[in-house]
Amino acid sequence: MTQLCKSCPATPRQAAARKHAIDRRLDHALFKAFADPTRALLIACIAKCGRGCSVGEIAECCSVDVSVVSRHLSMLARAGVLEPRRRGRAMLYQVRYRELSRALRDLADAIDACGPVENDKKEDRCGGGC
Amino acid sequence: MTQLCKSCPATPRQAAARKHAIDRRLDHALFKAFADPTRALLIACIAKCGRGCSVGEIAECCSVDVSVVSRHLSMLARAGVLEPRRRGRAMLYQVRYRELSRALRDLADAIDACGPVENDKKEDRCGGGC
DNA sequence: GTAGTATTTGCATAATGACGCAATTATGCA
DNA sequence: TGCATAATTGCGTCATTATGCAAATACTAC
């Protein structure tokens, strides 16, 4: 993620500022979490529920085996999307609302920061950052 | 994405409001785009460059074959992440800054909207939405 | 037209990941 | 302790996808 276009020599200051912002936000583990349809369904289900849901409950949202759901959930917890918590025999998973929306907004900010500014409008010039 | 937890009967109004927001934003094609390390690298490279980059230039950012980069780029364009444009022999790809950050912020908003509010704080009660 | 450069596509291979089933672990209750 | 319920893990299978190479296409310049 730190390698840069050899053909885009950059203003060091611009490059540093931009590089820092976006590289740190592009956590592909986070996006892998959302990339699978089943996981997206699970996330949406738990998010809309607004509380910690057990694995069995969550499994009712979709048609796959409970073991598959369990694996998805622990993966989502590792990715920082869900917060796991034990209650008796049940394992409750809850969406980490704040952290999640924060991560998305931070990436959006980083992308905006890379967007073309006045000096970069000339199509043939590199904006600096590569 | 429209299926819901059977064990979480919802207040219809809450359910509708929340469901609408998050289901529409969970475009897994968009997140698939970011889920692969190579693609994430390419996106970061083009984003930081701040202009339309040719396939050959972009390929210098990473160690994979140009043909692979070409495939990734056309996939990213299909996903709405990049904007393709021809200039002579070269194909230029530019990040769709506005649309991209907008999509991320919308999802962040939808997630926040699902977050626990006062009435949902009781852990055993479903917030409504499933 | 031909030659040269940039990009895309076809195809085979390798890696990754999702899934179901069965066995195992973890916890609560009598 | 023994039993029941909930969740996780091991393992094999199948589908998807990332990759490289070679061939084909798109475009420019002469």
Side-chain angles (χ1 to χ4, degrees):
Chain A
M1 200 76 66
T2 52
Q3 207 172 352
L4 304 171
C5 281
K6 297 190 194 93
S7 45
C8 301
T11 312
R13 202 188 325 155
Q14 278 188 312
R18 292 181 168 180
K19 203 180 68 175
H20 232 69
I22 199 163
D23 284 347
R24 283 207 345 212
R25 309 306 183 190
L26 269 178
D27 174 17
H28 71 272
L30 175 65
F31 293 104
K32 258 195 173 126
F34 288 91
D36 180 72
T38 303
R39 278 195 296 272
L41 182 62
L42 297 179
I43 295 170
C45 179
I46 304 171
K48 286 181 287 186
C49 211
R51 60 169 175 117
C53 300
S54 74
V55 177
E57 280 176 326
I58 299 167
E60 293 177 358
C61 288
C62 59
S63 54
V64 298
D65 194 79
V66 188
S67 67
V68 175
V69 173
S70 170
R71 247 182 284 258
H72 278 313
L73 293 175
S74 75
M75 186 270 220
L76 289 170
R78 267 197 311 275
V81 175
L82 302 179
E83 166 105 356
R85 180 166 42 101
R86 207 174 236 307
R87 196 183 54 187
R89 283 176 279 214
M91 199 69 188
L92 302 184
Y93 286 91
Q94 183 158 24
V95 170
R96 306 184 67 182
Y97 296 99
R98 272 164 229 257
E99 296 81 354
L100 201 48
S101 66
R102 175 63 183 270
L104 294 170
R105 280 185 225 280
D106 283 348
L107 177 58
D109 288 341
I111 288 169
D112 281 338
C114 289
V117 286
E118 313 318 311
N119 294 341
D120 301 353
K121 280 282 171 70
K122 300 196 181 67
E123 301 202 344
D124 296 333
R125 288 255 316 280
C126 173
C130 288
Chain B
M1 201 75 66
T2 52
Q3 208 172 352
L4 305 171
C5 281
K6 297 189 194 94
S7 46
C8 301
T11 311
R13 204 189 322 155
Q14 277 187 313
R18 293 181 169 179
K19 203 181 69 176
H20 231 71
I22 198 165
D23 284 348
R24 282 205 348 209
R25 308 307 182 190
L26 271 178
D27 173 17
H28 71 271
L30 174 65
F31 294 105
K32 259 196 171 125
F34 288 90
D36 180 72
T38 303
R39 278 195 297 271
L41 182 63
L42 297 179
I43 295 170
C45 178
I46 303 171
K48 287 181 289 187
C49 212
R51 61 169 174 115
C53 301
S54 74
V55 177
E57 280 176 326
I58 299 167
E60 293 177 358
C61 288
C62 58
S63 53
V64 298
D65 194 80
V66 189
S67 67
V68 174
V69 172
S70 170
R71 248 184 283 257
H72 278 312
L73 293 176
S74 75
M75 186 271 220
L76 289 171
R78 267 196 311 275
V81 176
L82 301 180
E83 166 106 357
R85 180 166 41 101
R86 214 186 225 316
R87 196 183 54 187
R89 283 176 279 214
M91 200 67 188
L92 302 185
Y93 286 92
Q94 184 159 22
V95 170
R96 306 184 68 182
Y97 296 98
R98 272 166 229 258
E99 296 82 354
L100 202 48
S101 66
R102 175 64 183 269
L104 293 170
R105 281 184 223 281
D106 283 347
L107 176 57
D109 288 342
I111 288 169
D112 282 338
C114 288
V117 286
E118 313 319 310
N119 295 341
D120 300 352
K121 280 281 171 70
K122 301 199 179 64
E123 300 204 343
D124 296 334
R125 289 254 318 281
C126 175
C130 288

PDB file of all heavy atoms in Angstrom, chain B residues 58-71:
ATOM      1  N   ILE B  58      -0.517   2.973 -13.933  1.00  0.00           N
ATOM      2  CA  ILE B  58      -1.075   2.356 -12.733  1.00  0.00           C
ATOM      3  C   ILE B  58      -0.412   1.021 -12.449  1.00  0.00           C
ATOM      4  O   ILE B  58      -0.170   0.653 -11.303  1.00  0.00           O
ATOM      5  CB  ILE B  58      -2.602   2.184 -12.894  1.00  0.00           C
ATOM      6  CG1 ILE B  58      -3.262   3.544 -13.094  1.00  0.00           C
ATOM      7  CG2 ILE B  58      -3.193   1.497 -11.685  1.00  0.00           C
ATOM      8  CD1 ILE B  58      -4.704   3.467 -13.561  1.00  0.00           C
ATOM      9  N   ALA B  59      -0.096   0.300 -13.527  1.00  0.00           N
ATOM     10  CA  ALA B  59       0.521  -1.017 -13.362  1.00  0.00           C
ATOM     11  C   ALA B  59       1.871  -0.919 -12.668  1.00  0.00           C
ATOM     12  O   ALA B  59       2.329  -1.876 -12.045  1.00  0.00           O
ATOM     13  CB  ALA B  59       0.658  -1.707 -14.712  1.00  0.00           C
ATOM     14  N   GLU B  60       2.505   0.255 -12.761  1.00  0.00           N
ATOM     15  CA  GLU B  60       3.806   0.427 -12.101  1.00  0.00           C
ATOM     16  C   GLU B  60       3.676   0.462 -10.585  1.00  0.00           C
ATOM     17  O   GLU B  60       4.657   0.286  -9.869  1.00  0.00           O
ATOM     18  CB  GLU B  60       4.475   1.715 -12.585  1.00  0.00           C
ATOM     19  CG  GLU B  60       4.879   1.662 -14.047  1.00  0.00           C
ATOM     20  CD  GLU B  60       5.465   2.991 -14.504  1.00  0.00           C
ATOM     21  OE1 GLU B  60       5.513   3.932 -13.695  1.00  0.00           O
ATOM     22  OE2 GLU B  60       5.875   3.068 -15.684  1.00  0.00           O
ATOM     23  N   CYS B  61       2.457   0.712 -10.116  1.00  0.00           N
ATOM     24  CA  CYS B  61       2.223   0.775  -8.674  1.00  0.00           C
ATOM     25  C   CYS B  61       2.369  -0.583  -7.999  1.00  0.00           C
ATOM     26  O   CYS B  61       2.649  -0.659  -6.805  1.00  0.00           O
ATOM     27  CB  CYS B  61       0.814   1.290  -8.367  1.00  0.00           C
ATOM     28  SG  CYS B  61       0.590   3.027  -8.699  1.00  0.00           S
ATOM     29  N   CYS B  62       2.122  -1.637  -8.751  1.00  0.00           N
ATOM     30  CA  CYS B  62       2.126  -2.952  -8.105  1.00  0.00           C
ATOM     31  C   CYS B  62       2.872  -3.948  -8.971  1.00  0.00           C
ATOM     32  O   CYS B  62       3.303  -3.641 -10.070  1.00  0.00           O
ATOM     33  CB  CYS B  62       0.696  -3.417  -7.856  1.00  0.00           C
ATOM     34  SG  CYS B  62      -0.281  -3.523  -9.344  1.00  0.00           S
ATOM     35  N   SER B  63       3.009  -5.144  -8.474  1.00  0.00           N
ATOM     36  CA  SER B  63       3.890  -6.127  -9.092  1.00  0.00           C
ATOM     37  C   SER B  63       3.165  -7.106 -10.013  1.00  0.00           C
ATOM     38  O   SER B  63       3.778  -8.033 -10.512  1.00  0.00           O
ATOM     39  CB  SER B  63       4.622  -6.903  -7.997  1.00  0.00           C
ATOM     40  OG  SER B  63       3.697  -7.428  -7.074  1.00  0.00           O
ATOM     41  N   VAL B  64       1.882  -6.904 -10.227  1.00  0.00           N
ATOM     42  CA  VAL B  64       1.165  -7.857 -11.072  1.00  0.00           C
ATOM     43  C   VAL B  64       1.209  -7.434 -12.533  1.00  0.00           C
ATOM     44  O   VAL B  64       1.538  -6.300 -12.862  1.00  0.00           O
ATOM     45  CB  VAL B  64      -0.305  -8.009 -10.624  1.00  0.00           C
ATOM     46  CG1 VAL B  64      -0.379  -8.541  -9.211  1.00  0.00           C
ATOM     47  CG2 VAL B  64      -1.039  -6.704 -10.755  1.00  0.00           C
ATOM     48  N   ASP B  65       0.862  -8.375 -13.394  1.00  0.00           N
ATOM     49  CA  ASP B  65       0.904  -8.150 -14.832  1.00  0.00           C
ATOM     50  C   ASP B  65      -0.081  -7.056 -15.259  1.00  0.00           C
ATOM     51  O   ASP B  65      -1.095  -6.826 -14.616  1.00  0.00           O
ATOM     52  CB  ASP B  65       0.558  -9.452 -15.548  1.00  0.00           C
ATOM     53  CG  ASP B  65       0.903  -9.400 -17.017  1.00  0.00           C
ATOM     54  OD1 ASP B  65       2.093  -9.583 -17.342  1.00  0.00           O
ATOM     55  OD2 ASP B  65      -0.004  -9.165 -17.840  1.00  0.00           O
ATOM     56  N   VAL B  66       0.262  -6.388 -16.375  1.00  0.00           N
ATOM     57  CA  VAL B  66      -0.606  -5.323 -16.879  1.00  0.00           C
ATOM     58  C   VAL B  66      -1.999  -5.840 -17.201  1.00  0.00           C
ATOM     59  O   VAL B  66      -2.996  -5.148 -16.981  1.00  0.00           O
ATOM     60  CB  VAL B  66      -0.013  -4.685 -18.152  1.00  0.00           C
ATOM     61  CG1 VAL B  66      -0.800  -3.451 -18.525  1.00  0.00           C
ATOM     62  CG2 VAL B  66       1.443  -4.351 -17.943  1.00  0.00           C
ATOM     63  N   SER B  67      -2.056  -7.049 -17.694  1.00  0.00           N
ATOM     64  CA  SER B  67      -3.371  -7.596 -18.047  1.00  0.00           C
ATOM     65  C   SER B  67      -4.247  -7.727 -16.806  1.00  0.00           C
ATOM     66  O   SER B  67      -5.454  -7.495 -16.860  1.00  0.00           O
ATOM     67  CB  SER B  67      -3.211  -8.950 -18.718  1.00  0.00           C
ATOM     68  OG  SER B  67      -2.706  -9.919 -17.829  1.00  0.00           O
ATOM     69  N   VAL B  68      -3.626  -8.090 -15.708  1.00  0.00           N
ATOM     70  CA  VAL B  68      -4.360  -8.221 -14.453  1.00  0.00           C
ATOM     71  C   VAL B  68      -4.861  -6.849 -14.003  1.00  0.00           C
ATOM     72  O   VAL B  68      -6.023  -6.704 -13.606  1.00  0.00           O
ATOM     73  CB  VAL B  68      -3.468  -8.854 -13.374  1.00  0.00           C
ATOM     74  CG1 VAL B  68      -4.178  -8.867 -12.034  1.00  0.00           C
ATOM     75  CG2 VAL B  68      -3.060 -10.244 -13.776  1.00  0.00           C
ATOM     76  N   VAL B  69      -3.982  -5.870 -14.109  1.00  0.00           N
ATOM     77  CA  VAL B  69      -4.373  -4.504 -13.737  1.00  0.00           C
ATOM     78  C   VAL B  69      -5.532  -4.041 -14.604  1.00  0.00           C
ATOM     79  O   VAL B  69      -6.512  -3.478 -14.096  1.00  0.00           O
ATOM     80  CB  VAL B  69      -3.177  -3.544 -13.881  1.00  0.00           C
ATOM     81  CG1 VAL B  69      -3.615  -2.103 -13.680  1.00  0.00           C
ATOM     82  CG2 VAL B  69      -2.084  -3.908 -12.891  1.00  0.00           C
ATOM     83  N   SER B  70      -5.437  -4.308 -15.883  1.00  0.00           N
ATOM     84  CA  SER B  70      -6.507  -3.909 -16.802  1.00  0.00           C
ATOM     85  C   SER B  70      -7.838  -4.503 -16.380  1.00  0.00           C
ATOM     86  O   SER B  70      -8.872  -3.829 -16.371  1.00  0.00           O
ATOM     87  CB  SER B  70      -6.152  -4.363 -18.214  1.00  0.00           C
ATOM     88  OG  SER B  70      -7.265  -4.205 -19.067  1.00  0.00           O
ATOM     89  N   ARG B  71      -7.814  -5.772 -16.033  1.00  0.00           N
ATOM     90  CA  ARG B  71      -9.042  -6.425 -15.593  1.00  0.00           C
ATOM     91  C   ARG B  71      -9.574  -5.802 -14.316  1.00  0.00           C
ATOM     92  O   ARG B  71     -10.773  -5.535 -14.183  1.00  0.00           O
ATOM     93  CB  ARG B  71      -8.799  -7.914 -15.392  1.00  0.00           C
ATOM     94  CG  ARG B  71      -9.521  -8.783 -16.403  1.00  0.00           C
ATOM     95  CD  ARG B  71      -9.315 -10.240 -16.098  1.00  0.00           C
ATOM     96  NE  ARG B  71      -7.971 -10.666 -16.515  1.00  0.00           N
ATOM     97  CZ  ARG B  71      -7.757 -11.369 -17.625  1.00  0.00           C
ATOM     98  NH1 ARG B  71      -8.746 -11.697 -18.406  1.00  0.00           N
ATOM     99  NH2 ARG B  71      -6.538 -11.739 -17.960  1.00  0.00           N
TER     100      ARG B  71
END
